[in-house]
Amino acid sequence: MLLGVNIDHIATLRNARGESDPNVIDAARICMNAGADGITAHLREDRRHIKDNDVYSLKNDLKFRLNLEMAATDEMQKIALDLLPDACCIVPERRQEITTEGGLDVYSNIEYMKKYVKPLLNSNIEVSLFITPDKEQIEAAAEIGVHFVELHTGAYSRAYGTINEETEFNRLKNAALLGQKLGLKINAGHGLNYNNVHRMHEIGILNELNIGHSIISKAVFIGLDNAVNEMLKLIR
Ligand code: PXP
């Protein structure tokens, strides 16, 4: 499995002082030098962490693989078509949420999503839809014509170590297998950490994991390069 490191929290910390430390580009460089396969950054409508300059620097100053997380809005589509990241992961976004809480409702918005992703796909951007591991959402994603989905692992992560773990794990696994059957490549992320990530191997077909909070939190104690390295040991 590949590892995309989500560096939003580096920007959160930087913005706490409103200056330039810690530097997001330096952080991305450290992650990549430690062996990560790509950098993920979420440009939110309110720019609460990652800013426009960050994504342009990540794309243009570094030659690393960039996965831009974004909401399905006109503003973000315009930025993506100008920036041309390697990949776009379309996520739902609510202003009050602390982090991306749910998955996209692709099922109820098939026609909108089809139109929305078309120019991105035509620009050779890999498009992925961030969805909950549910049959109707997987089937809808396959109908849209994207090549990737990212399964929301939040429910599995919260259930890990509880009586609900098996149920949530099987939900994830069945969704991944269905997606594969429908021709999708399957990524996963949200809430994955050093304890719960090992079960992603059991799914057997996951392409990439996008992990942020646990890696950046561990980096506070052991350094970013060591934190990325330790995660890589668990997922490779
Ligand atoms: N994938 C997506 C689509 C996300 O929105 C997020 C959170 O920004 C992540 C992965 C990473 O989640 P976490 O920070 O919990 O590892």
Side-chain angles (χ1 to χ4, degrees):
M1 288 180 287
L2 303 174
L3 174 65
V5 180
N6 183 314
I7 56 167
D8 295 350
H9 288 331
I10 300 286
T12 304
L13 190 56
R14 174 197 60 191
N15 298 351
R17 271 292 166 100
E19 294 177 23
S20 57
D21 281 337
N23 186 289
V24 166
I25 305 304
D26 289 346
R29 211 176 268 122
I30 289 169
C31 293
M32 295 302 291
N33 288 341
D37 300 286
I39 297 297
T40 294
H42 185 174
L43 187 64
R44 293 186 75 103
E45 183 197 17
D46 62 8
R47 309 299 199 268
R48 71 168 75 147
H49 36 58
I50 293 291
K51 313 259 187 211
D52 299 53
N53 280 349
D54 296 326
V55 291
Y56 279 92
S57 298
L58 286 168
K59 174 69 177 47
N60 298 328
D61 301 348
L62 305 176
K63 297 292 167 230
F64 304 144
R65 177 180 156 77
L66 175 64
N67 173 28
L68 177 70
E69 273 183 31
M70 57 181 233
T73 61
D74 291 346
E75 183 201 16
M76 288 301 150
Q77 190 191 54
K78 212 169 138 205
I79 291 173
L81 291 174
D82 181 57
L83 177 70
L84 298 176
D86 302 274
C88 275
C89 181
I90 317 286
V91 301
E93 201 172 287
R94 282 192 298 119
R95 228 174 251 201
Q96 303 83 347
E97 69 189 359
I98 294 172
T99 180
T100 315
E101 283 163 6
L104 267 183
D105 186 0
V106 186
Y107 176 76
S108 311
N109 297 286
I110 289 190
E111 287 316 311
Y112 178 84
M113 289 307 297
K114 256 189 201 166
K115 268 200 210 119
Y116 190 83
V117 301
K118 207 169 175 199
L120 301 172
L121 292 169
N122 287 344
S123 299
N124 290 324
I125 300 171
E126 271 175 20
V127 180
S128 168
L129 305 178
F130 188 48
I131 55 174
T132 50
D134 296 312
K135 185 170 179 279
E136 63 182 22
Q137 298 297 347
I138 303 275
E139 288 172 346
E143 200 181 325
I144 302 288
V146 295
H147 303 299
F148 290 82
V149 288
E150 180 168 328
L151 296 179
H152 198 307
T153 47
Y156 159 75
S157 298
R158 274 192 304 277
Y160 184 78
T162 74
I163 51 163
N164 296 325
E165 178 180 330
E166 277 317 303
T167 307
E168 290 301 338
F169 177 75
N170 288 329
R171 193 175 150 213
L172 209 52
K173 185 168 180 177
N174 292 335
L177 294 174
L178 173 64
Q180 185 194 41
K181 205 167 128 198
L182 297 175
L184 294 164
K185 288 191 182 156
I186 318 292
N187 299 330
H190 207 282
L192 293 175
N193 62 35
Y194 295 83
N195 296 322
N196 65 29
V197 77
H198 67 98
R199 293 207 71 183
M200 297 302 104
H201 288 291
E202 288 175 51
I203 297 178
I205 56 160
L206 295 180
N207 172 63
E208 179 182 71
L209 304 179
N210 283 301
I211 307 181
H213 188 82
S214 60
I215 292 178
I216 307 303
S217 301
K218 201 169 196 65
V220 172
F221 298 107
I222 67 169
L224 188 52
D225 50 352
N226 289 327
V228 171
N229 246 306
E230 286 203 8
M231 187 56 82
L232 281 169
K233 278 188 210 145
L234 296 172
I235 73 170
R236 290 263 161 84

